[in-house]
């Protein structure tokens, strides 16, 4: 039914530096995902199964950020700061109603500060809003953000099952199901986009479940939550450093120097597959698996060593080093042959 609403929902900024599509596509995938989550919440409510995590509460807390994200998808007039503030408000609500606060990070000094309620609340709001924005940043190619999210959610599901937390496992799998439905239409042809509303709900949901899992089970290292979300987190932090410190411009200014953009511009566009007639959507679709693999490099050790803080911290450092090394090599046109 896009012919009925594309004039409102279409992503028509085809000339923007971070855009790699060539036709106008609806950016309301977030609506489909939210409808999937609402349907699952209704089914759980009708089944009347006792649970200590109400999916409806998470969705209700998400409402302030959802309104801003979906409004931006329709009007393209809501700034990044406004969306981040709305997401922080949603984080405050979900922290209050589900007691989802970051109270430990297993770092000397920081845990003492996080023991102060005000600091814990502020840190939690920044973390949730930051991860929501991070998923918006990596949402640059067909299937990229949605599959990275599915990989992270399956890792959360696995650990939740290991510690017997069925409520978090179900909340995680519900989002996996909603994302899988979206993924079929988004990859490889890009018939619908997540939009800001979709990317923000994904990051918000994953951040909330990551925090809840660690806060409810002391046996789980908080660095599991860091490592399972390491790719979007590091992409966001590196982008802020690159724009603000290295280039001296606003971190909110769009550009084409993200890792996924470099993969497309300097690897995919120059790699020819024998017997395949390259089209725009094929080149676009060939980009995302590189980043799925990169994300898995962090998620796999998170699954293996979810109880061992020092191993997870070491894996985080190795991921950061690998990311920076590959980024610099690609920038200098010295891409390792195994990547090409």
């Amino acid at each position: 039914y896009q012919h009925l609403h594309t004039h409102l929902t279409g992503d028509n900024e085809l000339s923007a530096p971070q855009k790699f599509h060539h036709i106008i596509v609806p950016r309301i995938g977030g609506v489909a995902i939210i409808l999937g989550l609402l349907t699952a919440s209704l089914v759980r409510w009708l089944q009347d199964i006792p649970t200590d995590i109400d999916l409806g509460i998470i969705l209700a807390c998400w409402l302030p950020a959802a309104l801003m994200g979906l409004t931006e998808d329709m009007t393209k007039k809501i700034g990044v700061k406004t969306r981040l503030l709305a997401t922080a408000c949603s984080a405050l609500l979900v922290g209050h109603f589900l007691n989802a606060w970051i109270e430990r990070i297993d770092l000397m000094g920081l845990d003492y500060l996080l023991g102060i309620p005000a600091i814990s609340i502020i840190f939690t709001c920044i973390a949730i809003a930051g991860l929501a924005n991070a998923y918006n940043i990596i949402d640059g190619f067909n299937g990229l953000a949605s599959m990275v999210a599915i990989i992270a959610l399956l890792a959360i599901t696995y650990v939740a099952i290991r510690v017997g937390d069925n409520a978090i496992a179900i909340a995680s799998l519900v989002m996996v199901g909603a994302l899988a439905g979206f993924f079929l239409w988004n990859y490889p042809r890009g018939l619908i986009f997540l939009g800001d509303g979709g990317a923000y709900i994904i990051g918000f949901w994953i951040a909330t479940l990551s925090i809840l899992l660690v806060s409810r089970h002391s046996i789980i290292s908080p660095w599991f939550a860091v490592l399972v979300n390491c790719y979007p987190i590091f992409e966001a932090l590196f982008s802020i450093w690159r724009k603000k410190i290295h280039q001296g411009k606003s971190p909110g200014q769009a550009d084409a120097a993200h890792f996924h953009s470099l993969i497309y511009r300097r690897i995919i566009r120059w790699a020819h597959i024998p017997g395949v007639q390259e089209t725009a959507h094929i080149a676009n679709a060939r980009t995302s698996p590189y980043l799925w693999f990169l994300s898995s490099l962090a998620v796999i050790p998170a699954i293996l060593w979810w109880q061992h803080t020092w191993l997870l911290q070491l894996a985080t450092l190795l991921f950061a080093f690998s990311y920076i090394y590959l980024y610099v090599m690609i920038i200098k046109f010295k891409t390792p042959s195994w990547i090409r």
Side-chain angles (χ1 to χ4, degrees), residues 311-332:
L311 285 174
L312 297 177
Q313 290 173 335
L314 178 60
T316 303
L317 289 175
L318 288 174
F319 178 87
F321 173 81
S322 301
Y323 179 102
I324 294 172
Y325 169 77
L326 291 174
Y327 190 97
V328 171
M329 289 296 100
I330 295 174
I331 282 287
K332 293 182 176 180

Side-chain angles (χ1 to χ4, degrees), residues 5-338:
H5 57 75
T6 302
H7 64 287
L8 290 175
T9 64
D11 191 346
N12 50 22
E13 298 177 351
L14 302 181
S15 60
Q18 80 277 21
K19 303 294 185 179
F20 296 96
H21 59 284
H22 305 285
I23 59 174
I24 297 177
V25 178
R27 49 185 285 178
I28 53 170
V31 174
I33 292 172
I34 291 172
L35 287 174
L37 297 175
L38 283 172
T39 302
S41 300
L42 179 61
V43 169
R44 296 288 293 172
W45 180 76
L46 291 175
Q47 290 175 334
D48 196 25
I49 299 175
T51 178
D52 51 355
I53 296 181
D54 191 333
L55 303 180
I57 290 179
I58 303 179
L59 283 171
C61 292
W62 167 242
L63 190 59
L67 291 176
M68 286 298 173
L70 294 175
T71 302
E72 163 63 13
D73 291 333
M74 299 289 188
T75 67
K76 290 81 174 175
K77 294 180 180 179
I78 308 297
V80 175
K81 291 182 180 179
T82 304
R83 281 176 274 146
L84 284 175
L85 181 60
T87 308
C89 291
S90 292
L92 189 63
L93 290 173
V94 81
H96 171 72
F97 286 105
L98 293 181
N99 195 30
W101 305 115
I102 299 175
E103 298 176 333
R104 63 187 178 97
I105 196 69
D106 284 2
L107 285 177
M108 189 177 300
L110 281 182
D111 283 359
Y112 172 78
L113 292 175
L114 291 174
I116 302 173
I119 294 179
S120 176
I121 291 171
I122 293 172
F123 188 80
T124 300
C125 291
I126 292 174
I128 294 178
L131 188 63
N133 187 59
Y135 269 94
N136 197 33
I137 289 174
I138 68 170
D139 182 29
F141 287 90
N142 299 344
L144 176 52
S146 52
M147 182 54 70
V148 168
I150 288 173
I151 293 171
L153 287 162
L154 290 177
I156 292 172
T157 301
Y158 169 77
V159 174
I161 292 174
R162 287 292 303 270
V163 296
D165 198 324
N166 291 331
I168 290 181
I170 289 169
S172 182
L173 287 174
V174 161
M175 176 60 91
V176 169
L179 285 173
F182 165 81
F183 184 83
L184 293 175
W185 294 97
N186 178 249
Y187 189 85
R189 298 191 62 88
L191 301 177
I192 190 171
F193 291 163
L194 275 176
D196 288 34
Y200 274 66
I201 182 62
I202 291 172
F204 177 84
W205 198 274
I206 294 176
T208 299
L209 295 184
S210 299
I211 293 170
L212 280 172
L213 189 60
V214 172
S215 64
R216 287 154 60 105
H217 305 280
S218 59
I219 191 175
I220 301 174
S221 169
W223 284 84
F224 166 79
V226 174
L227 196 56
V228 82
N229 297 299
C230 202
Y231 165 54
I233 289 174
F234 200 78
E235 180 69 40
L237 294 176
F238 188 77
S239 296
I240 293 172
W241 174 86
R242 175 172 52 79
K243 295 177 183 179
K244 185 68 175 179
I245 307 300
H246 185 63
Q247 299 175 353
K249 61 183 183 181
S250 171
Q253 184 175 340
D255 65 10
H258 293 293
F259 202 122
H260 51 265
S261 303
L262 293 179
I263 294 290
Y264 175 79
R265 290 179 181 275
R266 300 195 175 182
I267 298 178
I268 298 300
R269 290 176 62 187
W270 302 101
H272 174 67
I273 301 178
V276 175
Q277 184 177 0
E278 194 81 344
T279 63
H281 86 266
I282 289 178
N284 186 309
R286 284 171 53 205
T287 303
S288 295
Y290 282 85
L291 286 310
W292 301 342
F293 174 74
L294 179 68
S295 175
S296 298
L297 291 180
V299 173
I300 290 173
I303 293 173
L304 294 175
W305 303 309
W306 52 274
Q307 293 176 274
H308 306 288
T309 295
W310 72 272
L311 285 174
L312 297 177
Q313 290 173 335
L314 178 60
T316 303
L317 289 175
L318 288 174
F319 178 87
F321 173 81
S322 301
Y323 179 102
I324 294 172
Y325 169 77
L326 291 174
Y327 190 97
V328 171
M329 289 296 100
I330 295 174
I331 282 287
K332 293 182 176 180
F333 293 96
K334 297 181 179 179
T335 305
S337 59
W338 62 270

